[in-house]
Amino acid sequence: MENKIIIAIDGFSSCGKSTLAKALAKALGYVYVDSGAMYRAVTLYFLENEVSIEDAQAVADALSNIRISLQLEEGSQVTFLNGRNVEQQIREMRVSQWVSPVSTLPAVRRALVAQQQALGKQRGVVMDGRDIGTVVFPDAELKLFMTASTSVRAQRRLSELLSKGYDDVDLTDVEANLLERDRIDSTREDSPLRKADDAIVLDNTHLTPEEQFQKAMGWVEEKLRAKRAGA
């Protein structure tokens, strides 16, 4: 346990953060936490219960009624909202359109950051999101900041949606949504998306999932050797 590390992966939407995080967690036997799924679950609750993000009391009341858990089922992480499997619903475009505005709310960020930090107390965690290396785990041993060209990200996101049966979206809408999320995530006052000073940039525009995994594992092994040497 004492030689395990925390791996924080941040970056823009549809950069493959979750794909890499899951692969690293599986290879290392670590816990994988998709922080974005947690924000999406809150967003889904707000949409389903017509919670106005401009009503601070309504937001506070809603947060007190939200219970999110992440469970492993058949090798994949599944998101539960108040005991209900919402993994499919939180990936819908309507949630994608509102998750960034919801994520800008300080009350929402405080609530979820506290949960995320509790998950990392024992180390041995791979977590991806927007503020993991800067806010959630500023002391993470390995921080990665992932990026890719907008066109590549949009195509990846469209392919993901189509593979899940969402055939009412097109590339133009997907790209517009990504750019708007980038803008909101990067300019919000509370925990904006930015590269931590000690993060390693991983541009995977021209990398396959296997190639980016090998690069990342090389950095992981360096950090593990350094931790063992200092133990």
Side-chain angles (χ1 to χ4, degrees), residues 8-11 130-140 142-146 192-201:
I9 303 177
D10 292 304
R130 303 290 190 282
D131 62 349
I132 311 305
T134 54
V135 176
V136 182
F137 296 126
D139 63 339
L142 177 61
K143 301 176 186 179
L144 302 179
F145 189 88
M146 295 181 64
L193 167 65
R194 66 175 180 81
K195 185 183 82 68
D197 293 339
D198 53 347
I200 300 170
V201 176

Side-chain angles (χ1 to χ4, degrees), residues 2 4-5 17 53 56 60 65 80 82 94 104 138 140 162 174 193 201 206 209 213-214 222-223 225 228-230:
E2 62 272 11
K4 289 187 175 182
I5 64 174
K17 298 186 298 294
I53 62 176
N65 291 320
F80 285 82
N82 292 338
R94 63 173 182 145
T104 65
L162 292 176
V174 170
L193 167 65
V201 176
H206 303 295
F213 172 75
Q214 293 299 333
E222 287 179 11
K223 295 297 182 181
R225 283 195 296 270
R228 286 192 292 268

Side-chain angles (χ1 to χ4, degrees), residues 10 39 100 103-114 116-117 129-137 181-195:
D10 292 304
Y39 285 100
S100 288
S103 299
T104 65
L105 301 175
V108 172
R109 301 207 72 82
R110 283 195 298 271
L112 294 190
V113 166
Q116 292 157 8
Q117 290 176 329
R130 303 290 190 282
D131 62 349
I132 311 305
T134 54
V135 176
V136 182
F137 296 126
R181 289 181 64 190
D182 290 349
R183 185 191 67 78
I184 294 173
D185 292 343
S186 300
T187 59
R188 66 186 179 219
E189 291 186 14
D190 196 311
S191 308
L193 167 65
R194 66 175 180 81
K195 185 183 82 68

Side-chain angles (χ1 to χ4, degrees), residues 3 5 28 30 220-228:
N3 286 328
I5 64 174
L28 296 164
Y30 282 15
V220 169
E221 289 163 359
E222 287 179 11
K223 295 297 182 181
L224 288 172
R225 283 195 296 270
K227 193 169 181 68
R228 286 192 292 268

